[in-house]
Structure formats: structure tokens, C-alpha cells
Amino acid sequence: MENKIDIGKLDFAFQPIINTNSGKTFAVEALLRNCQELNFKSINNFFDYLAKEEILFDYDIKLRKKALKKFKKIDLPNIKLFYNLDNRVFNMPNKKLGKTLEILKELDIKPDRLCFELTEHNLFEDEKNLQDAIKNYNHNEIKTAIDDFGTGVSGLHLLYISDTNFVKIDKFFISHIDKDPKKRLFCSSIVEMAHTMGIQVIAEGIERVEEYLTCKDIKVDYLQGYLFCRPTTDIEEIKKSYKGKSFLKKDRRLLSNNIDKSFIEKVDAITDDSSLHDLFIYFKEHTKNTFVPVVNSEKKILGAIYEVDIKKISYSQYGLSLAKNQSFKAKLKHYLQPVPEIDISWGIDKALEIFNMRNDAKGIFVSKDSIYYGFISLNNLLLLSYKRNIEIAENQNPLTKLPGNNQIDDFIYNIFDKKLQAQIIYFDFNDFKPFNDTYGFRLGDRAILMFSEILQKYLSRESFIAHIGGDDFFVGFVNMSYENVYNMIFNIQKEFEHNVQSLYNENDLKKGHITAKDRYGTTREFELLSISASIIEVNENSSIENFNSKLGEIKKRSKAVNKPFGICINM
């Protein structure tokens, strides 16, 4: 049966994996094609047969070579090949370590350009076999990725034991992530955990612009999907960059969250093929440096080597001579230490977050579009943190400490710029001036703080809460159903009306109103404090010009609805 399998009938299609920020092609994934030509219904049936006959290892080696041969013809320097590895291969009786290195050497392809994708589609019969294989890949600089992360029952366990370089979030969690807060929360948690562990994240199955924008917002590193390019057997169709796509333009960000480049030190790096002698010379020439960043041929940072770790050799009587000796085979990677790293586009907040999770670090390394850019020292991080806190404080409302008008403008701009589906809510106190005049500014401030606390109690971190000023508040939701938004607002209004009664004296509370002068100086009765709310629904067809022109009308109409819980719907 074995000699009937003619892999010459099989082919590989490639699908690009692109850098989220630059749009440049980072890698391609090899996808097997034409299994039907061998009378197999699907790729899974084909590999099931190979595993059952215990010939999976032999044929997978042949397929690796076939994929790598075609990959080498792609005229794009330094891109990587992601190859799906059926984990049953580790349990084949004739498996042999080192075969992949032989192929790479024969084809003159650097090992770090190959990445094996591991999945949970088949149970790991022998975990030690898997760990030994991955250890061997890491030792030989072959990368690994966990594929379809989130769908298997032991994904976190696999992440823990594999010491992997990449995590690929399954397309189930990416599909309509812009409309599903739970998916967004799940994926943002994966990204945060992976980055803390020094692992990069790839989102699979991007088919819509809104999915791309959401993945970019939660700091996914790389993207793959039909939105950019479908799998193709024609390597000429694979582009160097997809930044020509109209949606890959830079997003407008709050300037205060950008990393000021003056805080980034340009610490010279050495390449991973440098010798120990080169390392000694580096420290002699850079006397103020206590470490050296190490990058690969693509200028991606691999880690750092600290002078203290090589002092015994470098300062010994024969250290320099020993390092020059070719028979002394110590490699730089023996001294290489992992480092916290961010992309410059992530901003100050993310930099501080990742640094705080690595409290033993002396700073944080910065890349730009996956290329090493520089280093932010501990002192500069503290200065950036101080500067950021000052800027946040300046843009906060001084009473409630909620974001102010600059952040509101940014939120509004982004939802229209990205054509997101959103609900914007304007809250306004009813008859606040008479209350303030009667009970004084101190109790007026207490009423405002009370409402601020209720907003934060009812609304999740996925919502945007801000204080316009005085008794006006702003809340924004993205991809939330109208029904959910309506119910939350109703409950907020109801609780405020109940809680605010504690601010009135017994007499006014019993009457159910207060007597005060209106803006024209006429004495009349005013109801107890309540809240008006306007919901403005925004969709991809809404324009910011139309929105701005209706703001005055929206506020007036919200006052005209029946109190206390009336809600006016606009746009």
C-alpha cells in the first residue's frame, strides 16, 4: 500500500502571515493540497492513514522537504515558513531526530526560518517524546507555534510544557470578535499572558476589517486570513507587503500614550553569529554598557547578554586569547538571557504593564515592526510613568477622576474612523441648578460623585465612561446590543433616583419636591433629582459631521421625554 502513495501528486498552497502594524509579510503557512488525487477524502483522512500504518514519520519528512523546496522559491528575504506538524509523528517507531536539519542544510535554509505548528487535534500519547522533540527544535533554533489555541481542553498545559515562540488564536474566537465582548476579553487575556511570557500572538481567520481593527487594538502581533490573501499555490501571488490595503492605515491614538522616542536609548546590538571574542571587544569599547542586545539576521531581538555573566572569562589572564581560539566552542546563546520586549506602537501603558510583570528586569527593549529599536532604562520608565500620570491627571475631571473631553474626542473619532457599530450615551441631571442653589455646592458635588460611582458599578471595563463636566456625563459602548444598553441605563437611572434621596432633608423628601428660583428668577417647585439619557446609535453609514450637528438637538430631546427614566434614541 505504501508504494501507492505518490507525493508528487500533492502540492502546497501558502497563505501569508502579516505584521499587524506594518502590513509586511512576516511568514507563510504551508497548506497541503490535492489529497483527493490520492483517493483520500480529506487531509485528515490522509494523515490518519499514515499514522495507522505507522509510516507517518517517513512521509512527513518527505512532505517537509517538498514544502521547503517550494518555500525557498518565494522571492521574499527572511520570511518564515509555518508547517503543520501532526503530533502523532513523535510516537512513530522509526522517528529519528535531526532529519529536518539535514533538509535545511541541503536546501541552504537557516533553521530559524522554519516554524512547526503544534495542535491538539490528536492526543499526546507520550508527553516526554513531545518535550524532547521541542527541546531539540529550540536547541537548533527551529521555531514552534501552538496552533488553534483555545479550542483544545489542554491548551494551557501545552503552552506550559512546549516553551513555544508563537500562539495562534483559533479563528472561532476571531470571527466577529468586534461584536462579541466575551471573545474580545478572552483574546485580550491570551495576548496579555503570551506577551508576559515573551510569546508572540497570531490571529487566524481575519475576514473582516472590523476583526482586523479589534485585533490591532488588543495588540495581536501578526494576522492571517482571507482579508489579506487567500491560500495560493502560485508563489508569485504572495506580496512583500499588504500595507496598500486601505484599512491598514495608522490609527489615530491619544498622543499622551505614545512613547516619546527621546526616552529610548540606542544601545548597539551584536548578531547571534558573533564570537565570544566579539563580545569581549564590545564591552571593552562600550565601557558604560552592562549588557549587550543580541539580534538575529532579521534584526529581531533574541535577548541580552550581561557583562556580569561573562566576567570570570573576560577578566581572566587568558580570557581574550581563549575566546580567539577556534577550539573553544562556547556559543553566545549559552549566555543569552530573555528580555521583556514591546513594539513601539503599543504605547506607554502597555510598556509599564509588561515591565511591572517582570520586576527583575533592568528596563524594557523596544522593537519597531519586529526590528530591534532601542532600550528604555528603569530611570526612563519611571520618568515616562510620571509624565503619563501627569497627562492623565490633566485630562481627568478633577472631581470624579474620570476621563475628560480629550479622551471623549478621541473615542468619538475612532468609532467613526473605524466605522464601528456603537452606542453613545449622554447623561444629564434634571433640575440640578435649583438643587445646587438650595443645598449648596458640597452636596451638589456629592450627587455628581454618587452618579459617577453608580456608572462604574454597572458598566464593565469594556465600556468607556467619561465626565464632560458639571452634571454632564458620557458613556460609549462598542458592539453592544441595544437591548443590553437600554437595560443598563434604566437600572442606572433607577438606582440614582433612589440613592440621591439621602441628600435631601426630611421635609423636602416628604413633599417630593423642592421650592427654588428658576433661571428667570421665578420661584416654583422642582422635582427631586433624576437623570435624562440620550442613546445615539452609530453604524458604519453614520458620519461624524451629522453626529456633531445633532448634539444640541439630542440634549434638548432628552430633556423632553417623560421623567424619570425616559430615553431618547437618535441616529
Side-chain angles (χ1 to χ4, degrees), residues 257-453:
N257 193 33
N258 287 350
I259 297 176
D260 186 338
K261 293 180 182 178
S262 66
F263 287 86
I264 303 175
E265 301 172 32
K266 300 291 186 177
V267 181
D268 293 335
I270 62 173
T271 58
D272 57 343
D273 59 356
S274 300
S275 67
L276 195 58
H277 178 259
D278 295 331
L279 183 64
F280 291 163
I281 297 299
Y282 178 95
F283 284 120
K284 287 184 179 297
E285 293 179 349
H286 299 77
T287 54
K288 293 183 179 180
N289 289 12
T290 59
F291 65 89
V292 53
V294 180
V295 300
N296 62 14
S297 58
E298 301 161 34
K299 298 184 179 179
K300 174 176 173 50
I301 189 159
L302 303 176
I305 296 176
Y306 293 88
E307 186 179 22
V308 66
D309 293 334
I310 62 163
K311 259 185 177 178
K312 286 185 179 179
I313 300 175
S314 62
Y315 288 104
S316 67
Q317 184 178 359
Y318 304 105
L320 201 58
S321 300
L322 190 62
K324 288 181 180 180
N325 192 330
Q326 292 297 319
S327 63
F328 186 73
K329 304 212 174 186
K331 294 183 179 179
L332 290 190
K333 67 179 182 180
H334 294 157
Y335 305 97
L336 198 62
Q337 299 292 330
V339 294
E341 177 194 3
I342 64 158
D343 189 278
I344 194 171
S345 66
W346 292 359
I348 298 170
D349 292 343
K350 192 68 176 178
L352 293 171
E353 179 185 331
I354 289 180
F355 175 77
N356 287 333
M357 292 178 182
R358 293 282 302 273
N359 54 18
D360 59 330
K362 298 177 181 179
I364 197 161
F365 291 80
V366 181
S367 296
K368 185 177 182 181
D369 298 335
S370 297
I371 294 174
Y372 168 66
Y373 187 83
F375 176 75
I376 307 177
S377 66
L378 175 58
N379 285 340
N380 280 347
L381 276 170
L382 293 173
L383 287 171
L384 278 172
S385 177
Y386 175 75
K387 180 181 175 183
R388 175 64 171 154
N389 289 335
I390 292 295
E391 289 172 340
I392 289 174
E394 288 176 347
N395 285 289
Q396 281 179 341
N397 183 278
L399 177 62
T400 61
K401 307 303 181 187
L402 289 174
N405 291 315
N406 287 344
Q407 288 96 325
I408 292 172
D409 288 344
D410 191 75
F411 177 86
I412 292 173
Y413 179 92
N414 278 330
I415 63 172
F416 281 99
D417 184 50
K418 297 175 183 178
K419 297 187 180 299
L420 300 176
Q421 182 179 345
Q423 285 91 17
I424 293 172
I425 297 89
Y426 276 84
F427 290 103
D428 187 20
F429 285 36
N430 296 314
D431 302 325
F432 182 68
K433 186 178 183 302
F435 174 84
N436 221 22
D437 291 344
T438 303
Y439 282 88
F441 289 108
R442 188 173 180 181
L443 282 184
D445 285 351
R446 283 187 61 185
I448 290 171
L449 283 169
M450 179 184 292
F451 183 67
S452 168
E453 291 167 0

Side-chain angles (χ1 to χ4, degrees), residues 187-204:
C187 292
S188 61
S189 298
I190 291 175
V191 172
E192 186 174 325
M193 175 180 64
H195 285 166
T196 303
M197 297 171 68
I199 299 169
Q200 293 185 299
V201 181
I202 302 168
E204 296 184 286

